[in-house]
Amino acid sequence: VQYFVEKALNQAITDYQADSGTALIMDIESGGILAMASSPSYDPNNYGDYSDNQSIFINPAISSLYEPGSIMKPIIMSSAIDSGVISADTTNTFGENITVQGYIIETAEQKAFGKEDMTQVLQNSDNVAMVWISQQMGIETEYKYVKNYNFFSKTGIDLSGETAGYAPAYKLWKEVNAATVAFGQGISVTPIEILCAYATIANNGKYVYPHIVSKIIDSSGKETKVGKEEGKQIIKSETAKTMQTMLGNVVANGGSYRRLREAISGFTAGAKTGTAQISDVNGGYLSNDNNLGIFTHSMAGF
């Protein structure tokens, strides 16, 4: 699995002329990481050749923070359903933008999607609808669920150098913070945190701690297996199953998921794509010469 993932990742980076990429796969039956790959990488046999680029030794899967974009939407959606403010069948009519504390927030395609149920909100990746969902929850409830999903804590994976996700402290959250987090901006996470959040949904709402080591063999040859370690129930089992169905429908019916459907013919999957602007250290977001923006593209699912 590791070999295949590395090969596929490197091919994708070449095909799409990306600067870098990371891929992670977990077996939720054990919590074991089956594959963890990042590119560009380095040859450990000749690590001295990379002395002028020390950052290459950092493992982005557990150490690099980024704004996740729309792959955060199922997390917020599940929180709203779990808290009882909406259901999968809730419908509303949404415009092309919404103003929150003087800030205009638009849909990514700068068009109105009109009347949608909550599955269609995910399928259309409607930012405006997600802001409305955030408002139904309120700041306190949204923050509580994001924290419970472990986005502000390390997963505890058995590797060194892990970083915890970040968002402003709760006392600093305003309406606009909750609004932007609802579509995955204004919060920084690691890929391993996203992986564990989606594993929680796939594991019927119970958090799964990730690990690399599958067994320990002592000097006498005795083997000790490292088993599955679960955390607390983040969302109710019923909520998780609802999200599994919703994300399954997103893949089954979404136009941008055609290649995924072809790749896994014979299997069902639930997933969400994301396209997040990359923040500029000087404030705002990066853009290229055409002012089209520079993005992190991602997908998470099961």
Side-chain angles (χ1 to χ4, degrees), residues 247 250-252 254-273 299-302:
L247 289 169
V250 167
V251 171
S256 59
Y257 297 85
R258 177 183 57 81
R259 291 183 62 191
L260 173 60
R261 291 195 295 271
E262 292 172 353
I264 60 165
S265 178
F267 295 87
T268 56
K272 181 73 187 79
T273 57
M299 184 171 72
F302 42 81

Side-chain angles (χ1 to χ4, degrees), residues 21-224:
T22 294
L24 282 159
I25 299 176
M26 173 197 274
D27 174 11
I28 66 161
E29 295 301 320
S30 67
I33 300 297
L34 302 182
M36 177 182 285
S38 293
S39 183
S41 188
Y42 63 95
D43 180 359
N45 296 304
N46 299 299
Y47 65 87
D49 295 346
Y50 306 88
S51 58
D52 60 341
N53 184 17
Q54 294 290 311
S55 63
I56 204 166
F57 298 120
I58 295 171
N59 182 353
I62 65 171
S63 300
S64 292
L65 292 170
Y66 75 108
E67 292 182 79
S70 292
I71 56 174
M72 193 72 185
K73 288 174 180 172
I75 307 306
I76 302 302
M77 182 72 75
S78 71
S79 304
I81 291 173
D82 200 65
S83 63
V85 298
I86 61 166
S87 71
D89 297 325
T90 297
T91 60
N92 200 359
T93 301
F94 304 102
E96 66 179 82
N97 61 59
I98 187 170
T99 301
V100 181
Q101 290 188 303
Y103 295 93
I104 299 173
I105 295 171
E106 300 177 314
T107 62
E109 298 177 40
Q110 295 183 326
K111 71 175 186 179
F113 291 103
K115 187 176 181 179
E116 299 170 293
D117 63 26
M118 296 300 101
T119 299
Q120 290 169 323
V121 167
L122 293 176
Q123 191 171 304
N124 295 327
S125 207
D126 190 339
N127 292 344
V128 171
M130 289 306 305
V131 172
W132 178 82
I133 290 166
S134 167
Q135 291 172 338
Q136 306 316 297
M137 270 195 293
I139 296 172
E140 183 177 358
T141 300
E142 181 176 332
Y143 184 91
K144 180 190 76 173
Y145 274 98
V146 173
K147 183 178 180 181
N148 284 346
Y149 262 109
N150 228 34
F151 280 112
F152 306 142
S153 305
K154 297 177 183 179
T155 66
I157 190 169
D158 43 347
L159 291 170
S160 61
E162 185 180 11
T163 302
Y166 171 81
Y170 170 67
K171 64 182 180 181
L172 299 177
W173 272 42
K174 297 182 174 68
E175 265 190 82
V176 70
N177 296 95
T180 58
V181 168
F183 53 88
Q185 303 269 187
I187 182 172
S188 296
V189 304
T190 60
I192 191 78
E193 287 177 326
I194 286 288
L195 176 78
C196 290
Y198 275 74
T200 296
I201 295 173
N203 193 47
N204 293 332
K206 187 165 278 193
Y207 191 85
V208 185
Y209 288 99
H211 61 87
I212 293 291
V213 175
S214 60
K215 62 183 176 182
I216 299 167
I217 308 171
D218 67 18
S219 57
S220 67
K222 179 186 175 183
E223 293 187 5
T224 303

